[in-house]
Amino acid sequence: METITGKSILKGIAIGRILFYQKGQQQVKRVKVEDTGREIGRYEMAKETAIRQLNELYQKAVKEVGEANAAVFEVHTMMIEDGDYVDAIVNIIESQQVNAEFAVATTGDNFSKMFAEMDDEYMQARAADVKDISERIVNILSGTESGGILGDEPVIVAADDLAPSETVQMDKEKLLAFVTRYGSANSHTAILARTMNIPALIDAPIQEEWDGKLAIVDGYSGTLYVDPEEGLLNQMKERQEEDRKAREMLHELKGKEDITLDGKKIRLYANIGGVKDVPGVLASDAAGIGLFRSEFLYLESEDYPSEESQFIAYKTVAANMAGRKVIVRTLDIGADKQVDYFKLAHEENPAMGYRAIRICLDRIDIFKTQLRALFRASAFGNISIMYPMIISVDEVRQIKKIVDLVKKELDVQGVPYKDVEQGIMIETPAAVMVSEELAKEVDFFSIGTNDLTQYTLAIDRQNSKLDNIYDSHHPAVLRMIQMTIENGHKHGCWVGICGELGADPALTKTFIEMGIDELSVSPTFVLPTRKNIREIRIEKEE
Ligand code: PEP
Ligand code: MG
């Protein structure tokens, strides 16, 4: 048996085999072949399929985002047909007598490196494109669909690191736990693990040769046991059983009110990343959805999600929540949530860069598509909309103008929608400081404590070296929360918390004393938070 420790993201026990997940190109194996002619034929066929796919994507994109934005697919087609690129692939197959997948992946890597080193910004930007087209061909050759990362058996996924776009594509049913070598406790991958309710360890020195071995993830002590001894295995199975019983006990709280001992009612909602999390919310008995991170729809897609596909997603969530509130946050990509097809330029400091509402107010077509989908879906349930990363009143006014435009278009087209409640996330110190003015503009505030902590303390939430001083309990953060609640209430805004801190049992009472109206937490934490709320008595004020 081997044992390592890491930082635990979620308490719980998982037992299963390890699948060592390696990213993109590294997954391609080098295989010696006899018949190089056959490999070249396979490559030619995959190339033709890729060109067909790109043509279809181009046509679709022209309709949805206009010719200028669609042009990237034409560029990709040209690159796939480029003589030097094609020759390099054929040459590797013939000279090294290897499989087509390996030849394409290697050529993609070589060309991408070459472009990245050029002294020309345009050519540097092509590095990502050539990787992209190579991945497309490799996927066609190996028949890999996105999402086909996991096999049939549920596994413990081990990896160097996992991007949110990779995590979100994994089938929850097949995933027992994550163990990663790097990563930060405040990253979106960690948040996804909590939403999926699976134990996860980060900062754990995993070894590739453990691939396929039986292991135990102990999220209580932050330990991974590889090839566990029978005694330990039995002990951990018993612990799993105890956990199951404890969960069952919490189920008795279903249907009960979220109310303190002295009668203060709190709205207890859940956070989700997509339609597939809704059953978890319903099972948790949350009174609504306080944060639907809509960017996961974009992270799961290979291309800009259309108005129709977004409409279906929002409508499905709203309809399934059957009249309970569903607060959808508009696109919040950038920082650790990168989407290839947005072709965002590399930034030195992405958390403070071109992200979230800044992208939406710049690429208005993308924003309008999402707003149209949201307003259309509003006719089918109880949808509210909120906007991320706000720093000024001016941004809110710009948003309102775009919303008015969208509503007018829908009116002209006779498309029904409701007059939805609109709010903003308070997750920058700037928003806190002008929260009194912001409160006059919107219906509600939702405090994003993950980013608010990062920006208040000037600590990159992605930097695992700083996890020990990323302290959401810092008095500066708590005073910001207090100030936001007071300013919101002065002007009739209700105020909630949708960052991870909302589920921190050590602060439930403090937040209620501050006057918080809503807490939105991962579905896993709904019932434990209900239990806390129901055990609290607020000291009577003088
Ligand atoms: C937050 O910042 O607290 C938040 C809820 O948003 P995200 O974690 O997605 O940035
Ligand atoms: Mg945030």
Side-chain angles (χ1 to χ4, degrees), residues 253-493:
L253 290 170
K254 284 190 185 177
K256 300 243 163 85
E257 271 189 306
D258 299 303
I259 187 166
T260 63
L261 288 172
D262 41 3
K264 164 94 174 132
K265 283 189 190 165
I266 301 294
R267 279 180 268 159
L268 182 57
Y269 292 167
N271 295 346
I272 64 165
V275 179
K276 59 180 184 300
D277 297 327
V278 174
V281 175
L282 294 171
S284 80
D285 195 37
I289 289 171
L291 169 63
F292 176 171
R293 289 183 164 94
S294 71
E295 57 276 7
F296 285 108
L297 297 176
Y298 294 71
L299 285 164
E300 284 166 339
S301 310
E302 299 222 329
D303 193 4
Y304 296 96
S306 63
E307 177 184 322
E308 201 56 28
S309 69
Q310 290 191 61
F311 163 68
I312 291 169
Y314 304 139
K315 177 181 158 186
T316 307
V317 174
N320 277 294
M321 289 301 291
R324 297 187 215 183
K325 194 182 277 300
V326 176
I327 304 176
V328 185
R329 171 175 78 187
T330 59
L331 178 66
D332 183 8
I333 59 157
D336 65 327
K337 288 174 288 192
Q338 291 293 333
V339 186
D340 288 350
Y341 55 84
F342 270 77
K343 306 271 176 252
L344 299 180
H346 171 77
E347 292 183 356
E348 287 303 320
N349 212 342
M352 297 204 194
Y354 187 64
R355 58 170 289 198
I357 200 69
R358 300 169 186 182
I359 298 180
C360 289
L361 290 177
D362 183 41
R363 297 178 66 178
I364 291 173
D365 281 353
I366 295 175
F367 194 31
K368 275 179 68 186
T369 302
Q370 179 168 37
L371 289 171
R372 277 184 61 93
L374 280 167
F375 274 94
R376 281 174 59 198
S378 71
F380 299 88
N382 184 2
I383 285 183
S384 300
I385 305 179
M386 76 175 164
Y387 307 100
M389 279 293 291
I390 295 296
I391 56 166
S392 69
V393 170
D394 179 58
E395 281 171 338
V396 177
R397 295 202 177 132
Q398 286 183 56
I399 293 168
K400 283 178 163 177
K401 278 197 189 130
I402 299 168
V403 166
D404 283 346
L405 221 70
V406 165
K407 285 191 192 167
K408 276 198 192 102
E409 274 176 26
L410 294 173
D411 288 339
V412 170
Q413 292 163 349
V415 178
Y417 62 88
K418 283 190 191 145
D419 198 14
V420 304
E421 205 184 26
Q422 292 180 74
I424 55 173
M425 296 213 36
I426 300 287
E427 50 186 347
T428 63
V432 176
M433 297 315 285
V434 296
S435 51
E436 185 157 4
E437 287 81 358
L438 287 167
K440 295 177 194 158
E441 302 285 332
V442 295
D443 302 313
F444 67 94
F445 287 160
S446 187
I447 307 175
T449 50
N450 310 333
D451 277 320
L452 188 59
T453 304
Q454 139 164 285
Y455 296 123
T456 304
L457 305 184
I459 293 175
D460 180 355
R461 66 194 262 195
Q462 292 293 110
N463 189 336
S464 63
K465 272 208 204 100
L466 303 175
D467 273 355
N468 56 337
I469 55 166
Y470 174 96
D471 175 17
S472 301
H473 289 215
H474 192 292
V477 177
L478 297 180
R479 280 180 213 167
M480 293 237 179
I481 295 173
Q482 174 82 75
M483 188 171 172
T484 303
I485 297 172
E486 281 169 11
N487 284 337
H489 286 173
K490 263 189 220 163
H491 297 284
C493 271

Side-chain angles (χ1 to χ4, degrees), residues 63-220:
K63 276 195 226 121
E64 287 166 10
V65 292
E67 224 162 284
N69 289 321
V72 59
F73 299 116
E74 279 190 319
V75 173
H76 280 197
T77 307
M78 270 155 47
M79 288 175 115
I80 284 191
E81 290 175 316
D82 176 78
D84 290 341
Y85 178 73
V86 173
D87 289 349
I89 293 169
V90 173
N91 185 27
I92 291 179
I93 297 177
E94 283 178 335
S95 63
Q96 300 184 28
Q97 292 198 295
V98 288
N99 53 326
E101 288 89 337
F102 180 78
V104 175
T106 307
T107 306
D109 278 348
N110 293 344
F111 273 60
S112 156
K113 214 163 150 240
M114 184 177 79
F115 285 140
E117 283 166 4
M118 283 183 179
D119 193 17
D120 173 326
E121 251 181 49
Y122 178 81
M123 294 312 287
Q124 284 169 3
R126 302 285 72 76
D129 291 320
V130 77
K131 260 199 142 71
D132 204 345
I133 58 164
S134 307
E135 254 166 44
R136 180 178 293 282
I137 302 175
V138 170
N139 285 345
I140 294 166
L141 278 165
S142 51
T144 326
E145 302 288 327
S146 60
I149 301 168
L150 308 180
D152 292 337
E153 283 285 303
V155 285
I156 295 168
V157 170
D160 280 343
D161 201 356
L162 288 168
S165 57
E166 290 164 325
T167 318
V168 78
Q169 288 184 27
M170 291 182 184
D171 180 353
K172 186 174 173 303
E173 302 301 315
K174 309 277 169 60
L175 199 54
L176 298 170
F178 294 125
V179 184
T180 62
R181 193 170 279 152
Y182 310 110
S184 145
N186 311 298
S187 69
H188 284 90
T189 296
I191 290 173
L192 279 170
R194 288 186 205 111
T195 306
M196 291 173 169
N197 193 14
I198 55 168
L201 305 184
I202 56 166
D203 240 351
I206 40 166
Q207 294 173 24
E208 282 173 43
E209 55 268 26
W210 292 341
D211 189 46
K213 293 199 172 178
L214 184 68
I216 302 171
V217 176
D218 177 354
Y220 292 97

Side-chain angles (χ1 to χ4, degrees), residues 31-51:
V31 182
K32 266 273 185 225
V33 296
E34 298 272 306
D35 189 351
T36 51
R38 180 177 170 272
E39 284 310 296
I40 293 171
R42 285 183 64 229
Y43 158 61
E44 294 287 354
M45 296 249 296
K47 182 178 128 197
E48 290 314 312
T49 308
I51 292 172

